[in-house]
Amino acid sequence: MPARLKAGKRHRLRLTLNGREVAGEAEPRLLLSDFLRHALGATGTHVGCEHGVCGACTVRLDGLAVRSCLMLAVQAEGRRVDTVESLAGADGALSALQRAFRRHHALQCGFCTPGILMSLSDWLARTPNPSEQAVREMLSGHLCRCTGYAGIVRAALEAAAEIAEDREKAPHDV
Amino acid sequence: MKPAEFDYLRPASPEEALAALAQAGEEARLLAGGQSLMAMLNMRLVQPALLIDIGALAALDFVRLEKDALVIGAAVTQGALERRASLAEEVPLLALALPFLGHYQTRNRGTVCGSIAHADPSAELPLALVALEGAVMLRSARRRRTLAAADFFAGMLTTARRADEMIEAVRFPRRRLGAGYAFREMALRHGDFALCAVAAIADDAGLRLAIGGVADRPVARDFPLLEADALEDALDDFAWALGAGDDAHASARYRRSLVRKLGREALEEAKCRRG
Ligand code: FES
Ligand code: FES
């Protein structure tokens, strides 16, 4: 990619999406959220407010949970982006976090869910044995219109416990 | 909610960024983490002709512990600083304030210097910088200069930065021996804009209290070691001096009472933490 990208022109860019090399075209002003959905067809990432308030668009950029509506597609050039599509196994088996969400009815309409799952999949890996208060503070970066926070908190805590158990079984394997 | 058109420049060095900035002037905007600027672009509150992305410049991605200060480069994210294990030892007030700043997801991308540059009157980092009497290191294509925090913040979203300057780094003074620090904040929900945020510093010589979210910029005041009624009066005086206004989120009266209540709590806590 050249250093200066012209307004109104599409530029080709490459990134690693959910472990696969992908390429697409974007104008400088295209948001990463729109690039994922419209250019790459990864519609699991949802878009709510488009100004950084609701958290629906959260993805992982080089592992860290970030808002994809507060980033330009061209800024993801050469980076690793993971979306909710990356969570289940190749055979479609749900991850521990997704199973906990199902058990606790932590999703209703499901609009906020992909963003919350991407935040938690990053945050739980960095935050061993979180308190309920810490989970709630992390979740303050997400809005659920269905207001199902009680189930979401329960699912997050249960997934955290499961991750801790796995760590104990295979301490070098996280 | 999509940005208007702009050219996008990814400079290879700070020098290249500054040359582009010198040429484009007011037409250009520096983009680092984008956690304030991208929202303003999406809402078309700003429509620059050129965005200069300094967020990935390795030369600006440094945290340097100097004899008297922690120096934080323009590409350092709030999240990276928060995860610095030695931060609570080095600059305790920063470690206390960071968890209040936006949300986990925005701290992962938002930069320390970007929040200072944005100068929202309710933001935590400008408040901490003013409380600690830190400094902002500015650089243009022609020269460098360093401004004291109190001289840098000039009002609501307004600073002393000139159009051809970027914030290269900010300096947060290190923990002073014998001082105690505390931070308090009230917001409608965790991570939202503060209705009132307070930073307190106490040592054996006196007290210092800085308030954000009330005046058009963070404001600090020094007090002698006051107790009881005398402290109450001093806080009341400070609360009135800030010139709080009514807005959709809180009345001026409520804000004054937050200054008194949070101010007292934070000062008491800072006193207990001396040592
Ligand atoms: S769509 Fe990105 S935070 Fe709401
Ligand atoms: S489940 Fe409907 S918005 Fe959260």
Side-chain angles (χ1 to χ4, degrees), chain A residues 46-57 67-69:
Chain A
H46 291 170
V47 171
C49 66
E50 285 194 328
H51 63 282
V53 175
C54 74
C57 67
R67 309 255 200 253
S68 62
C69 75

Side-chain angles (χ1 to χ4, degrees), chain B residues 56-219:
Chain B
L57 283 178
L60 299 175
D61 191 8
F62 64 87
V63 179
R64 205 168 53 222
L65 187 64
E66 295 186 351
K67 200 165 126 281
D68 56 346
L70 191 67
V71 184
I72 300 162
V76 177
T77 64
Q78 299 147 10
L81 189 63
E82 192 181 7
R83 285 185 280 275
R84 181 179 171 92
S86 50
L87 185 66
E89 265 306 306
E90 293 157 354
V91 190
L93 186 63
L94 266 185
L96 294 169
L98 276 168
F100 288 94
L101 207 162
H103 307 284
Y104 173 71
Q105 302 81 358
T106 58
R107 293 196 294 275
N108 277 340
R109 204 155 159 78
T111 61
V112 174
C113 290
S115 171
I116 304 272
H118 186 56
D120 188 294
S122 66
E124 292 80 3
L125 289 173
L127 174 62
L129 197 69
V130 166
L132 293 173
E133 298 175 89
V136 180
M137 301 163 78
L138 295 156
R139 182 178 175 191
S140 71
R142 290 176 302 116
R143 63 176 190 141
R144 286 187 159 104
R145 62 180 180 135
T146 298
L147 284 182
D151 299 328
F152 179 75
F153 298 107
M156 174 86 137
L157 307 184
T158 311
T159 70
R161 187 185 70 84
R162 300 190 184 118
D164 66 344
E165 286 176 321
M166 79 169 171
I167 298 182
E168 196 175 24
V170 287
R171 297 176 66 88
F172 281 93
R174 286 173 69 171
R175 165 201 208 107
R176 261 191 298 116
L177 223 60
Y181 302 84
F183 191 89
R184 284 273 200 288
E185 169 170 324
M186 175 64 92
L188 291 181
R189 63 172 177 142
H190 184 89
D192 217 326
F193 293 104
L195 298 177
C196 176
V198 314
I201 306 168
D203 61 20
D204 290 336
L207 308 170
R208 181 172 171 86
L209 188 66
I211 308 283
V214 180
D216 68 349
R217 71 196 83 173
V219 180

Side-chain angles (χ1 to χ4, degrees), chain A residues 103-167:
Chain A
R103 269 196 305 280
H104 290 282
H105 303 283
L107 59 155
Q108 294 165 72
C109 78
F111 194 84
C112 67
T113 315
I116 295 181
L117 289 174
M118 295 320 287
S119 275
L120 281 170
S121 72
D122 163 26
W123 188 79
L124 288 178
R126 280 171 216 282
T127 319
N129 306 312
S131 65
E132 176 175 337
Q133 177 65 20
V135 168
R136 286 184 183 276
E137 273 175 25
M138 195 284 294
L139 284 173
S140 72
H142 293 275
L143 294 178
C144 174
R145 292 188 296 186
C146 304
T147 68
Y149 296 105
I152 296 170
V153 171
R154 275 200 302 273
L157 287 170
E158 195 172 289
E162 210 168 308
I163 291 169
E165 222 169 87
D166 288 352
R167 263 207 198 105

Side-chain angles (χ1 to χ4, degrees), chain A residues 1-5, chain B residues 8-12 16:
Chain A
M1 228 171 35
R4 184 167 183 141
L5 306 181
Chain B
Y8 170 85
L9 176 69
R10 187 180 301 149
E16 199 182 304

